[in-house]
Coordinates of all heavy atoms in Angstrom, one line a residue:
M299 N 5.1 -9.1 6.9 CA 5.0 -8.3 5.7 C 4.8 -6.9 6.1 O 5.4 -6.0 5.5 CB 3.8 -8.8 4.9 CG 3.8 -8.3 3.5 SD 2.6 -9.3 2.5 CE 2.6 -8.2 1.0
R300 N 3.9 -6.6 7.0 CA 3.6 -5.3 7.4 C 4.9 -4.7 8.1 O 5.2 -3.5 7.9 CB 2.5 -5.2 8.4 CG 2.1 -3.8 8.8 CD 1.0 -3.8 9.8 NE 1.3 -4.6 11.0 CZ 0.5 -4.7 12.1 NH1 -0.6 -4.1 12.1 NH2 0.9 -5.5 13.1
D301 N 5.6 -5.5 8.9 CA 6.8 -5.0 9.6 C 7.8 -4.6 8.6 O 8.5 -3.6 8.7 CB 7.3 -6.1 10.5 CG 6.4 -6.2 11.8 OD1 5.6 -5.4 12.0 OD2 6.6 -7.2 12.5
D302 N 8.0 -5.5 7.5 CA 8.9 -5.2 6.4 C 8.6 -3.8 5.8 O 9.5 -3.0 5.6 CB 8.9 -6.3 5.4 CG 9.6 -7.5 5.8 OD1 10.3 -7.4 6.8 OD2 9.5 -8.5 5.1
L303 N 7.3 -3.6 5.5 CA 6.9 -2.4 4.9 C 7.2 -1.2 5.8 O 7.6 -0.1 5.4 CB 5.5 -2.4 4.5 CG 5.2 -3.3 3.3 CD1 3.7 -3.6 3.1 CD2 5.7 -2.7 2.0
D304 N 6.9 -1.4 7.1 CA 7.1 -0.3 8.1 C 8.6 0.1 8.1 O 8.9 1.2 8.1 CB 6.6 -0.7 9.5 CG 5.1 -0.5 9.6 OD1 4.6 0.2 8.8 OD2 4.6 -1.1 10.6
R305 N 9.4 -1.0 8.1 CA 10.9 -0.7 8.1 C 11.3 0.0 6.8 O 12.0 1.0 6.9 CB 11.6 -2.0 8.2 CG 12.3 -2.2 9.5 CD 13.4 -3.3 9.4 NE 12.8 -4.6 8.9 CZ 12.1 -5.5 9.6 NH1 11.9 -5.2 10.9 NH2 11.6 -6.6 9.1
S306 N 10.8 -0.4 5.7 CA 11.2 0.3 4.4 C 10.7 1.7 4.4 O 11.5 2.6 4.0 CB 10.5 -0.4 3.2 OG 10.8 -1.8 3.2
I307 N 9.5 2.0 4.9 CA 9.0 3.3 5.0 C 9.8 4.2 5.9 O 10.2 5.3 5.6 CB 7.5 3.3 5.4 CG1 6.7 2.8 4.2 CG2 7.0 4.7 5.7 CD1 5.3 2.4 4.6
A308 N 10.2 3.6 7.0 CA 11.0 4.4 8.0 C 12.4 4.7 7.4 O 12.9 5.8 7.5 CB 11.2 3.5 9.3
I309 N 13.0 3.8 6.6 CA 14.3 4.0 6.0 C 14.1 5.1 5.0 O 14.9 6.0 4.9 CB 14.8 2.7 5.4 CG1 15.2 1.7 6.5 CG2 16.0 3.0 4.5 CD1 15.4 0.3 6.0
L310 N 13.1 5.0 4.1 CA 12.9 5.9 3.1 C 12.6 7.3 3.6 O 13.1 8.3 3.1 CB 11.7 5.5 2.2 CG 12.0 4.3 1.3 CD1 10.7 3.8 0.7 CD2 12.9 4.7 0.1
Q311 N 11.9 7.4 4.7 CA 11.6 8.7 5.3 C 12.9 9.3 5.9 O 13.1 10.5 5.9 CB 10.5 8.5 6.4 CG 9.1 8.5 5.8 CD 8.1 8.2 6.9 OE1 8.4 7.7 7.9 NE2 6.9 8.6 6.6
G312 N 13.8 8.4 6.4 CA 15.0 8.9 6.9 C 15.9 9.4 5.8 O 16.7 10.3 6.1
E313 N 15.7 9.0 4.5 CA 16.5 9.5 3.4 C 16.0 10.8 2.9 O 16.6 11.4 2.1 CB 16.6 8.4 2.3 CG 17.5 7.3 2.6 CD 17.4 6.2 1.6 OE1 16.6 6.3 0.7 OE2 18.1 5.2 1.7
R314 N 14.8 11.1 3.2 CA 14.2 12.3 2.7 C 14.9 13.5 3.2 O 15.2 13.6 4.4 CB 12.7 12.4 3.0 CG 11.8 11.4 2.2 CD 10.5 11.2 2.9 NE 9.9 12.5 3.0 CZ 9.1 13.1 2.1 NH1 8.9 12.5 0.9 NH2 8.5 14.3 2.3
P315 N 15.0 14.5 2.3 CA 15.7 15.8 2.8 C 14.8 16.6 3.7 O 15.3 17.2 4.6 CB 15.9 16.5 1.5 CG 15.0 15.9 0.5 CD 14.8 14.5 0.9
A316 N 13.5 16.5 3.6 CA 12.6 17.2 4.5 C 12.6 16.5 5.8 O 12.6 15.3 5.9 CB 11.2 17.3 3.9
P317 N 12.5 17.3 6.9 CA 12.4 16.7 8.3 C 11.0 16.2 8.5 O 10.1 16.9 9.1 CB 12.7 17.9 9.2 CG 12.4 19.1 8.4 CD 12.5 18.8 6.9
A318 N 10.7 15.0 8.0 CA 9.3 14.6 8.0 C 9.1 13.3 8.9 O 8.1 12.7 8.9 CB 8.8 14.2 6.6
A319 N 10.1 13.0 9.7 CA 10.0 11.8 10.5 C 8.8 11.9 11.5 O 8.6 12.9 12.1 CB 11.3 11.6 11.3
G320 N 8.0 10.9 11.5 CA 6.9 10.9 12.4 C 5.6 11.4 11.8 O 4.5 11.0 12.2
A321 N 5.7 12.3 10.8 CA 4.5 12.8 10.2 C 4.1 11.8 9.2 O 4.8 11.3 8.4 CB 4.9 14.1 9.5
G322 N 2.8 11.5 9.2 CA 2.2 10.5 8.3 C 2.3 10.9 6.8 O 2.9 10.2 6.0
Y323 N 1.8 12.0 6.5 CA 1.8 12.5 5.1 C 2.3 13.9 5.0 O 1.5 14.8 5.0 CB 0.4 12.3 4.5 CG 0.0 10.9 4.3 CD1 -0.6 10.2 5.3 CD2 0.3 10.2 3.1 CE1 -0.9 8.9 5.2 CE2 -0.1 8.9 2.9 CZ -0.7 8.2 3.9 OH -1.0 6.9 3.8
P324 N 3.6 14.1 5.0 CA 4.2 15.4 5.0 C 3.8 16.2 3.8 O 3.7 15.7 2.7 CB 5.7 15.2 5.1 CG 5.9 13.8 4.6 CD 4.6 13.1 4.9
Q325 N 3.7 17.5 3.9 CA 3.5 18.4 2.8 C 4.7 18.5 2.0 O 5.8 18.5 2.5 CB 3.0 19.8 3.3 CG 1.8 19.8 4.1 CD 0.5 19.4 3.2 OE1 0.4 19.9 2.1 NE2 -0.3 18.6 3.8
D326 N 4.6 18.6 0.7 CA 5.7 18.9 -0.2 C 6.1 20.3 0.0 O 5.3 21.2 0.0 CB 5.4 18.6 -1.6 CG 5.4 17.1 -1.9 OD1 6.1 16.4 -1.3 OD2 4.6 16.7 -2.8
S327 N 7.4 20.5 0.1 CA 7.9 21.9 0.2 C 8.1 22.5 -1.2 O 8.5 21.7 -2.1 CB 9.2 22.0 1.0 OG 10.2 21.5 0.3
A328 N 7.8 23.7 -1.4 CA 7.9 24.3 -2.7 C 9.3 24.5 -3.2 O 9.6 24.4 -4.4 CB 7.2 25.7 -2.7
D329 N 10.2 24.7 -2.3 CA 11.6 25.0 -2.7 C 12.5 23.7 -2.5 O 13.4 23.7 -1.7 CB 12.2 26.1 -1.9 CG 12.1 25.8 -0.4 OD1 11.3 25.0 0.0 OD2 12.8 26.5 0.4
A330 N 12.1 22.7 -3.3 CA 12.8 21.4 -3.2 C 14.3 21.5 -3.7 O 15.1 20.8 -3.2 CB 12.1 20.4 -4.0
G331 N 14.5 22.4 -4.7 CA 15.9 22.6 -5.1 C 16.5 21.6 -6.0 O 15.7 20.9 -6.7
S332 N 17.8 21.4 -6.0 CA 18.5 20.6 -7.0 C 18.2 19.1 -6.8 O 18.3 18.3 -7.7 CB 20.0 20.9 -6.9 OG 20.4 20.6 -5.6
S333 N 17.9 18.7 -5.6 CA 17.7 17.2 -5.4 C 16.2 16.8 -5.6 O 15.8 15.8 -5.1 CB 18.1 16.9 -3.9 OG 17.2 17.5 -3.0
L334 N 15.6 17.6 -6.5 CA 14.1 17.3 -6.7 C 13.9 15.9 -7.3 O 13.0 15.2 -6.8 CB 13.6 18.4 -7.7 CG 12.1 18.2 -8.0 CD1 11.3 18.6 -6.8 CD2 11.7 19.1 -9.2
S335 N 14.6 15.5 -8.3 CA 14.3 14.2 -8.9 C 14.6 13.1 -7.9 O 13.8 12.1 -7.9 CB 15.2 14.1 -10.2 OG 16.5 14.0 -9.8
E336 N 15.6 13.2 -7.2 CA 15.9 12.2 -6.2 C 14.8 12.1 -5.1 O 14.3 11.1 -4.8 CB 17.2 12.5 -5.5 CG 17.7 11.5 -4.4 CD 18.0 10.2 -5.0 OE1 18.4 10.1 -6.2 OE2 17.9 9.2 -4.3
A337 N 14.3 13.3 -4.7 CA 13.3 13.4 -3.7 C 12.0 12.8 -4.4 O 11.2 12.1 -3.7 CB 13.0 14.8 -3.3
D338 N 11.8 13.1 -5.6 CA 10.6 12.6 -6.3 C 10.6 11.1 -6.4 O 9.6 10.5 -6.1 CB 10.5 13.2 -7.8 CG 9.9 14.6 -7.8 OD1 9.4 15.0 -6.8 OD2 9.9 15.2 -8.9
R339 N 11.8 10.6 -6.7 CA 11.8 9.1 -6.7 C 11.6 8.5 -5.4 O 10.9 7.5 -5.3 CB 13.2 8.7 -7.3 CG 13.2 7.4 -7.9 CD 14.5 7.1 -8.7 NE 15.7 7.6 -8.0 CZ 16.8 7.9 -8.6 NH1 16.9 7.9 -9.9 NH2 17.8 8.2 -7.8
T340 N 12.2 9.1 -4.4 CA 12.0 8.6 -3.0 C 10.5 8.7 -2.7 O 9.9 7.7 -2.1 CB 12.8 9.3 -2.0 OG1 14.2 9.3 -2.4 CG2 12.7 8.8 -0.6
E341 N 9.9 9.8 -3.1 CA 8.5 10.0 -2.8 C 7.6 9.0 -3.4 O 6.7 8.4 -2.9 CB 8.1 11.4 -3.2 CG 6.7 11.8 -2.8 CD 6.5 11.8 -1.3 OE1 7.3 12.3 -0.5 OE2 5.5 11.2 -0.8
A342 N 8.0 8.6 -4.7 CA 7.2 7.6 -5.4 C 7.3 6.3 -4.8 O 6.3 5.5 -4.7 CB 7.7 7.6 -6.9
I343 N 8.5 5.9 -4.4 CA 8.7 4.6 -3.7 C 7.9 4.6 -2.4 O 7.3 3.6 -2.0 CB 10.2 4.3 -3.4 CG1 11.0 4.2 -4.8 CG2 10.4 3.1 -2.6 CD1 12.5 4.3 -4.6
L344 N 8.0 5.7 -1.6 CA 7.3 5.8 -0.4 C 5.8 5.7 -0.6 O 5.1 5.0 0.1 CB 7.6 7.2 0.2 CG 8.5 7.3 1.4 CD1 8.7 8.8 1.8 CD2 7.9 6.5 2.6
H345 N 5.3 6.3 -1.7 CA 3.9 6.3 -2.0 C 3.5 4.9 -2.2 O 2.4 4.4 -1.6 CB 3.6 7.2 -3.2 CG 2.2 7.3 -3.5 ND1 1.3 8.0 -2.7 CD2 1.4 6.7 -4.5 CE1 0.1 7.9 -3.3 NE2 0.1 7.2 -4.3
S346 N 4.2 4.1 -3.0 CA 3.8 2.7 -3.3 C 3.9 1.9 -2.1 O 3.1 1.0 -1.8 CB 4.5 2.2 -4.5 OG 5.8 1.8 -4.1
A347 N 5.0 2.1 -1.3 CA 5.2 1.3 0.0 C 4.0 1.6 0.9 O 3.5 0.7 1.6 CB 6.5 1.7 0.6
R348 N 3.6 2.8 1.0 CA 2.4 3.2 1.9 C 1.1 2.5 1.4 O 0.4 2.0 2.1 CB 2.2 4.7 1.9 CG 3.2 5.4 2.8 CD 2.7 6.8 3.1 NE 3.7 7.5 3.9 CZ 4.3 8.6 3.4 NH1 4.0 9.1 2.2 NH2 5.2 9.2 4.2
N349 N 0.9 2.5 0.0 CA -0.2 1.9 -0.5 C -0.2 0.4 -0.2 O -1.2 -0.2 0.2 CB -0.3 2.1 -2.1 CG -0.8 3.4 -2.4 OD1 -1.4 4.1 -1.6 ND2 -0.6 3.8 -3.7
Q350 N 1.0 -0.2 -0.4 CA 1.1 -1.6 -0.1 C 0.8 -1.9 1.4 O 0.1 -2.9 1.7 CB 2.5 -2.1 -0.4 CG 2.6 -3.4 -1.1 CD 4.1 -3.7 -1.5 OE1 4.8 -2.9 -1.9 NE2 4.4 -5.0 -1.2
R351 N 1.3 -1.0 2.3 CA 1.1 -1.2 3.7 C -0.4 -1.1 4.0 O -0.9 -1.9 4.8 CB 1.9 -0.2 4.5 CG 1.8 -0.5 6.0 CD 2.6 0.5 6.8 NE 2.1 1.9 6.5 CZ 2.4 2.9 7.2 NH1 3.3 2.8 8.2 NH2 2.0 4.1 6.9
D352 N -1.0 -0.1 3.4 CA -2.4 0.1 3.6 C -3.2 -1.2 3.2 O -4.1 -1.6 3.9 CB -3.0 1.2 2.8 CG -2.6 2.6 3.4 OD1 -2.0 2.6 4.5 OD2 -2.7 3.6 2.7
G353 N -2.8 -1.8 2.1 CA -3.4 -3.1 1.7 C -3.2 -4.2 2.6 O -4.1 -4.9 2.9
V354 N -2.0 -4.3 3.2 CA -1.7 -5.3 4.2 C -2.5 -5.1 5.4 O -3.0 -6.1 6.0 CB -0.2 -5.4 4.5 CG1 0.1 -6.3 5.6 CG2 0.6 -5.8 3.2
I355 N -2.5 -3.9 5.9 CA -3.3 -3.6 7.1 C -4.8 -3.9 6.9 O -5.4 -4.4 7.8 CB -3.1 -2.1 7.5 CG1 -1.6 -1.9 8.0 CG2 -4.1 -1.7 8.6 CD1 -1.2 -0.5 8.3
A356 N -5.3 -3.5 5.7 CA -6.7 -3.8 5.4 C -6.9 -5.3 5.4 O -7.9 -5.8 5.9 CB -7.1 -3.2 4.1
A357 N -5.9 -6.1 4.9 CA -6.0 -7.6 4.9 C -6.0 -8.1 6.3 O -6.8 -9.0 6.6 CB -4.9 -8.2 4.1
L358 N -5.1 -7.5 7.1 CA -5.1 -8.0 8.5 C -6.4 -7.7 9.2 O -6.9 -8.5 10.0 CB -3.9 -7.3 9.3 CG -2.5 -7.7 8.8 CD1 -1.5 -6.8 9.5 CD2 -2.2 -9.1 9.3
T359 N -7.0 -6.5 8.9 CA -8.3 -6.2 9.5 C -9.4 -7.2 9.1 O -10.2 -7.6 9.9 CB -8.7 -4.8 9.1 OG1 -7.6 -3.9 9.5 CG2 -10.0 -4.4 9.8
R360 N -9.3 -7.6 7.8 CA -10.3 -8.5 7.3 C -10.1 -9.9 7.9 O -11.1 -10.6 8.2 CB -10.1 -8.7 5.8 CG -10.7 -7.4 5.1 CD -10.9 -7.7 3.6 NE -9.7 -8.1 2.9 CZ -8.8 -7.3 2.4 NH1 -8.9 -6.0 2.6 NH2 -7.8 -7.8 1.8
I361 N -8.8 -10.3 8.2 CA -8.6 -11.5 8.9 C -9.3 -11.5 10.3 O -10.0 -12.4 10.7 CB -7.1 -11.8 9.1 CG1 -6.5 -12.2 7.7 CG2 -6.9 -13.0 10.1 CD1 -4.9 -12.2 7.8
E362 N -9.1 -10.4 11.0 CA -9.7 -10.2 12.3 C -11.3 -10.3 12.3 O -11.9 -10.7 13.2 CB -9.3 -8.9 13.0 CG -7.9 -9.0 13.5 CD -7.3 -7.6 13.8 OE1 -8.1 -6.6 13.9 OE2 -6.1 -7.5 14.0
T363 N -11.8 -9.8 11.2 CA -13.3 -9.7 11.1 C -13.8 -10.9 10.3 O -15.0 -10.9 9.9 CB -13.8 -8.4 10.5 OG1 -13.2 -8.3 9.2 CG2 -13.4 -7.2 11.3
N364 N -13.0 -11.9 10.1 CA -13.4 -13.1 9.3 C -13.9 -12.8 7.9 O -14.6 -13.6 7.4 CB -14.5 -13.9 10.1 CG -13.8 -14.7 11.2 OD1 -12.8 -15.3 11.1 ND2 -14.6 -14.8 12.3
A365 N -13.4 -11.7 7.4 CA -13.8 -11.3 6.0 C -12.7 -11.6 5.0 O -12.8 -11.4 3.9 CB -14.2 -9.9 5.9
Y366 N -11.6 -12.1 5.6 CA -10.4 -12.4 4.7 C -10.7 -13.5 3.7 O -11.4 -14.5 4.0 CB -9.2 -12.8 5.6 CG -7.9 -13.0 4.7 CD1 -7.3 -11.9 4.2 CD2 -7.4 -14.2 4.5 CE1 -6.2 -12.0 3.5 CE2 -6.3 -14.4 3.8 CZ -5.6 -13.3 3.2 OH -4.5 -13.4 2.5
G367 N -10.3 -13.2 2.5 CA -10.5 -14.2 1.4 C -11.8 -14.0 0.7 O -12.2 -14.8 -0.2
R368 N -12.5 -12.9 1.1 CA -13.8 -12.6 0.5 C -13.7 -11.3 -0.2 O -13.0 -10.4 0.3 CB -14.9 -12.5 1.6 CG -16.2 -13.0 1.1 CD -17.2 -13.1 2.2 NE -16.8 -14.0 3.3 CZ -17.3 -14.0 4.6 NH1 -18.1 -13.0 4.9 NH2 -16.9 -14.8 5.4
C369 N -14.2 -11.3 -1.4 CA -14.1 -10.1 -2.2 C -14.9 -8.9 -1.6 O -16.1 -9.1 -1.2 CB -14.7 -10.4 -3.6 SG -14.8 -8.9 -4.7
V370 N -14.3 -7.7 -1.5 CA -15.0 -6.6 -0.8 C -16.1 -6.0 -1.7 O -16.9 -5.3 -1.2 CB -14.0 -5.5 -0.5 CG1 -13.0 -6.0 0.6 CG2 -13.3 -4.9 -1.7
D371 N -16.0 -6.4 -3.0 CA -17.0 -5.8 -3.9 C -18.2 -6.7 -4.1 O -19.4 -6.3 -3.9 CB -16.4 -5.5 -5.3 CG -15.6 -4.2 -5.3 OD1 -15.6 -3.5 -4.3 OD2 -15.0 -3.9 -6.3
C372 N -18.0 -8.0 -4.4 CA -19.1 -8.9 -4.7 C -19.4 -9.9 -3.6 O -20.4 -10.6 -3.6 CB -18.9 -9.6 -6.0 SG -17.6 -10.9 -6.0
G373 N -18.5 -10.0 -2.6 CA -18.7 -10.9 -1.5 C -18.3 -12.3 -1.8 O -18.5 -13.2 -0.9
G374 N -17.9 -12.6 -3.0 CA -17.5 -13.9 -3.4 C -16.2 -14.3 -2.8 O -15.4 -13.5 -2.4
D375 N -15.9 -15.6 -2.8 CA -14.6 -16.1 -2.4 C -13.5 -15.7 -3.3 O -13.7 -15.8 -4.6 CB -14.6 -17.6 -2.2 CG -15.5 -18.1 -1.0 OD1 -15.6 -17.2 -0.1 OD2 -15.9 -19.2 -1.0
I376 N -12.4 -15.3 -2.8 CA -11.2 -15.0 -3.6 C -10.4 -16.3 -3.7 O -10.2 -17.0 -2.7 CB -10.3 -13.9 -3.0 CG1 -11.1 -12.6 -2.8 CG2 -9.1 -13.7 -3.8 CD1 -10.3 -11.6 -2.1
P377 N -10.1 -16.8 -5.0 CA -9.5 -18.1 -5.1 C -8.2 -18.1 -4.3 O -7.4 -17.1 -4.2 CB -9.2 -18.2 -6.6 CG -10.2 -17.2 -7.2 CD -10.4 -16.1 -6.2
E378 N -7.9 -19.3 -3.8 CA -6.7 -19.5 -3.0 C -5.4 -19.2 -3.7 O -4.5 -18.6 -3.2 CB -6.6 -20.9 -2.4 CG -6.1 -21.0 -1.0 CD -6.3 -22.4 -0.4 OE1 -7.5 -22.7 -0.1 OE2 -5.3 -23.1 -0.3
G379 N -5.4 -19.5 -5.0 CA -4.2 -19.2 -5.8 C -3.9 -17.7 -5.9 O -2.8 -17.3 -5.9
R380 N -5.0 -17.0 -6.0 CA -4.8 -15.5 -6.0 C -4.3 -15.0 -4.7 O -3.5 -14.1 -4.6 CB -6.2 -14.9 -6.4 CG -6.2 -13.4 -6.3 CD -7.4 -12.8 -7.1 NE -7.5 -11.3 -6.8 CZ -6.7 -10.4 -7.4 NH1 -5.7 -10.8 -8.1 NH2 -6.9 -9.1 -7.1
L381 N -4.8 -15.6 -3.6 CA -4.3 -15.1 -2.3 C -2.9 -15.5 -2.1 O -2.1 -14.8 -1.4 CB -5.2 -15.7 -1.2 CG -6.6 -15.1 -1.1 CD1 -7.4 -15.9 -0.1 CD2 -6.5 -13.7 -0.6
D382 N -2.4 -16.6 -2.7 CA -1.0 -17.0 -2.6 C -0.2 -15.9 -3.3 O 0.9 -15.5 -2.8 CB -0.8 -18.3 -3.3 CG -1.2 -19.5 -2.3 OD1 -1.4 -19.2 -1.1 OD2 -1.4 -20.6 -2.8
A383 N -0.6 -15.5 -4.5 CA 0.1 -14.5 -5.2 C 0.0 -13.1 -4.6 O 1.0 -12.4 -4.6 CB -0.4 -14.5 -6.7
R384 N -1.2 -12.8 -4.1 CA -1.4 -11.5 -3.6 C -2.1 -11.6 -2.2 O -3.3 -11.6 -2.1 CB -2.3 -10.6 -4.5 CG -1.6 -10.1 -5.7 CD -0.6 -9.0 -5.4 NE -1.2 -8.0 -4.5 CZ -1.9 -6.9 -4.9 NH1 -2.1 -6.7 -6.2 NH2 -2.4 -6.1 -4.1
P385 N -1.3 -11.9 -1.1 CA -2.0 -12.1 0.2 C -2.9 -11.0 0.6 O -3.7 -11.2 1.5 CB -0.8 -12.3 1.1 CG 0.4 -12.6 0.2 CD 0.1 -11.9 -1.1
D386 N -2.6 -9.8 0.1 CA -3.4 -8.6 0.5 C -4.5 -8.3 -0.5 O -5.1 -7.3 -0.5 CB -2.5 -7.4 0.7 CG -1.8 -7.0 -0.6 OD1 -1.7 -7.9 -1.4 OD2 -1.4 -5.9 -0.7
A387 N -4.8 -9.3 -1.4 CA -5.9 -9.0 -2.4 C -7.2 -8.8 -1.7 O -7.6 -9.6 -0.8 CB -6.0 -10.2 -3.4
A388 N -7.9 -7.8 -2.1 CA -9.2 -7.5 -1.5 C -10.4 -7.8 -2.4 O -11.5 -7.8 -2.0 CB -9.3 -6.0 -1.1
R389 N -10.0 -8.1 -3.6 CA -11.1 -8.4 -4.6 C -10.8 -9.7 -5.4 O -9.6 -10.0 -5.6 CB -11.2 -7.2 -5.6 CG -11.8 -6.0 -5.0 CD -11.7 -4.8 -5.9 NE -12.2 -3.6 -5.3 CZ -11.5 -2.9 -4.5 NH1 -10.2 -3.1 -4.4 NH2 -12.0 -1.8 -4.0
C390 N -11.9 -10.3 -5.9 CA -11.7 -11.4 -6.8 C -11.1 -10.8 -8.1 O -11.1 -9.6 -8.3 CB -13.0 -12.2 -7.0 SG -14.2 -11.2 -7.9
V391 N -10.7 -11.7 -9.0 CA -10.0 -11.2 -10.2 C -10.9 -10.3 -11.0 O -10.6 -9.3 -11.5 CB -9.5 -12.4 -11.1 CG1 -8.9 -12.0 -12.3 CG2 -8.5 -13.3 -10.3
G392 N -12.2 -10.8 -11.2 CA -13.1 -10.0 -12.0 C -13.4 -8.6 -11.4 O -13.3 -7.6 -12.2
C393 N -13.6 -8.5 -10.1 CA -13.8 -7.2 -9.5 C -12.6 -6.3 -9.5 O -12.7 -5.1 -9.7 CB -14.4 -7.3 -8.1 SG -16.0 -8.1 -8.0
Q394 N -11.4 -7.0 -9.4 CA -10.2 -6.2 -9.4 C -9.9 -5.6 -10.7 O -9.5 -4.4 -10.8 CB -9.0 -7.1 -9.0 CG -7.7 -6.4 -8.9 CD -7.7 -5.2 -7.9 OE1 -8.0 -5.5 -6.7 NE2 -7.3 -4.1 -8.3
S395 N -10.2 -6.3 -11.8 CA -10.0 -5.7 -13.1 C -11.0 -4.6 -13.4 O -10.7 -3.6 -14.0 CB -10.0 -6.8 -14.2 OG -11.4 -7.3 -14.4
K396 N -12.2 -4.8 -12.9 CA -13.2 -3.7 -13.0 C -12.8 -2.5 -12.2 O -12.8 -1.3 -12.7 CB -14.6 -4.2 -12.5 CG -15.4 -4.8 -13.6 CD -16.8 -5.1 -13.0 CE -16.9 -6.6 -12.7 NZ -18.1 -7.0 -12.0
H397 N -12.3 -2.8 -11.0 CA -11.8 -1.7 -10.1 C -10.6 -0.9 -10.8 O -10.6 0.3 -10.8 CB -11.4 -2.3 -8.8 CG -10.9 -1.3 -7.8 ND1 -11.7 -0.4 -7.1 CD2 -9.6 -1.0 -7.4 CE1 -11.0 0.4 -6.4 NE2 -9.7 0.0 -6.5
A398 N -9.7 -1.7 -11.4 CA -8.5 -1.1 -12.0 C -8.9 -0.2 -13.2 O -8.3 0.8 -13.4 CB -7.6 -2.2 -12.5
K399 N -9.9 -0.6 -13.9 CA -10.4 0.2 -15.1 C -11.1 1.5 -14.6 O -11.0 2.5 -15.3 CB -11.4 -0.6 -15.9 CG -10.7 -1.6 -16.9 CD -11.7 -2.4 -17.7 CE -11.0 -3.6 -18.2 NZ -12.0 -4.7 -18.4
R400 N -11.7 1.4 -13.4 CA -12.4 2.6 -13.0 C -11.4 3.7 -12.6 O -11.7 4.9 -12.7 CB -13.2 2.3 -11.7 CG -14.6 1.8 -12.0 CD -15.6 2.1 -10.9 NE -15.2 1.5 -9.7 CZ -15.5 0.2 -9.3 NH1 -16.2 -0.5 -10.1 NH2 -15.1 -0.3 -8.2
R401 N -10.2 3.3 -12.2 CA -9.2 4.3 -11.7 C -8.7 5.1 -12.9 O -8.4 4.6 -13.9 CB -8.1 3.6 -10.9 CG -8.6 3.4 -9.5 CD -7.4 3.2 -8.6 NE -6.8 1.8 -8.8 CZ -5.9 1.3 -8.0 NH1 -5.5 2.0 -7.0 NH2 -5.5 0.1 -8.2
Ligands
ZN853 ZN1 -15.7 -9.8 -6.6

């Protein structure tokens, strides 16, 4: 899953007009020009792919520390059905909905 995301991010970065290969979070250039909407869309996809990858990496870290499957907020077990649907879930359903509302 992480490899897939890394590949997607690499491809998306390759499509970006700015020479940003290798840079983790490149700065937006002010003179984006006519391809702005295309760049914006790519940027939005990149952003969500990075968020997803961060979640996967965090999940892998939790596996290594034996904290996988435990809610990062309340410490309770995350139901297996939820982990099937969202393998990178960091919170139980209750804490996740509270977390989503906070944002
Ligand atoms: Zn919880």
Side-chain angles (χ1 to χ4, degrees):
M299 192 165 171
R300 183 183 56 177
D301 288 347
D302 282 350
L303 287 166
D304 277 343
R305 248 194 310 278
S306 306
I307 288 165
I309 291 165
L310 287 166
Q311 279 174 339
E313 285 172 358
R314 284 163 56 86
Y323 291 86
Q325 299 291 318
D326 283 328
S327 69
D329 56 341
S332 58
S333 65
L334 180 68
S335 63
E336 183 67 25
D338 276 355
R339 203 165 47 203
T340 305
E341 187 59 49
I343 297 167
L344 254 178
H345 185 73
S346 79
R348 281 193 185 118
N349 280 345
Q350 222 179 318
R351 185 183 57 172
D352 287 349
V354 171
I355 290 170
L358 290 170
T359 306
R360 288 197 300 280
I361 290 169
E362 282 166 15
T363 59
N364 280 325
Y366 184 70
R368 216 170 297 156
C369 174
V370 296
D371 280 356
C372 70
D375 287 337
I376 301 173
E378 217 168 285
R380 174 161 171 74
L381 287 173
D382 283 344
R384 284 287 313 272
D386 60 337
R389 292 175 180 82
C390 67
V391 178
C393 291
Q394 182 60 52
S395 70
K396 269 185 260 172
H397 180 74
K399 277 178 202 151
R400 272 207 303 272
R401 278 199 287 193

